Amino acid sequence: MGYLLACFCSGMTLILLDSALCKDNLLMAGVKAAYPLFTWQETCGLSTGANVVISATVFYFLAGVTSLKGYKKEEAEEEGAGAPALSEPLIDENA
C-alpha cells in the first residue's frame, strides 16, 4: 500500500508542476516584489528531472500492484492451510 501512496504523491507532484497553480501563482509575484535582490525563475515546470520522476511513478505503481497481488495470494494460502484435508499426508506412515 505504501508503494501506491508514493505513486500517487509523485504523480500529483508532476501534475502540480504543470498546472496553473504553479505557473500563475500570485503569491510568488508578491514574494518577488518583496525581495528584489533574489533571483527567481519566471515559471515552474517540468524539466529533465521530470523524466526520472515519471519512471519512478511507473515503478512505484508496478511495485504496489505486485505487492498487493502477493499479499492477497499469501492470505489465500493462509486460509487454505487451516483445512485438514490439505494437511493430511498422501501416504500413511503407519501402514
Side-chain angles (χ1 to χ4, degrees), residues 30-40:
V31 170
K32 288 177 189 178
Y35 301 103
L37 297 176
F38 294 107
T39 57
W40 305 91

Side-chain angles (χ1 to χ4, degrees), residues 18-92:
D18 202 30
S19 71
L21 177 67
C22 188
K23 292 181 180 178
D24 299 324
N25 194 345
L26 295 176
L27 180 64
M28 282 306 293
V31 170
K32 288 177 189 178
Y35 301 103
L37 297 176
F38 294 107
T39 57
W40 305 91
Q41 290 183 350
E42 291 300 318
T43 61
C44 57
L46 300 177
S47 186
T48 55
N51 294 332
V52 176
V53 176
I54 291 169
S55 64
T57 303
V58 170
F59 287 131
Y60 280 138
F61 179 75
L62 293 175
V65 169
T66 55
S67 175
L68 193 61
K69 280 189 171 189
Y71 176 73
K72 287 189 177 188
K73 185 177 179 182
E74 186 177 323
E75 275 187 341
E77 287 177 356
E78 286 179 3
E79 278 183 13
L86 297 177
S87 62
E88 292 179 6
L90 292 175
I91 300 172
D92 188 18

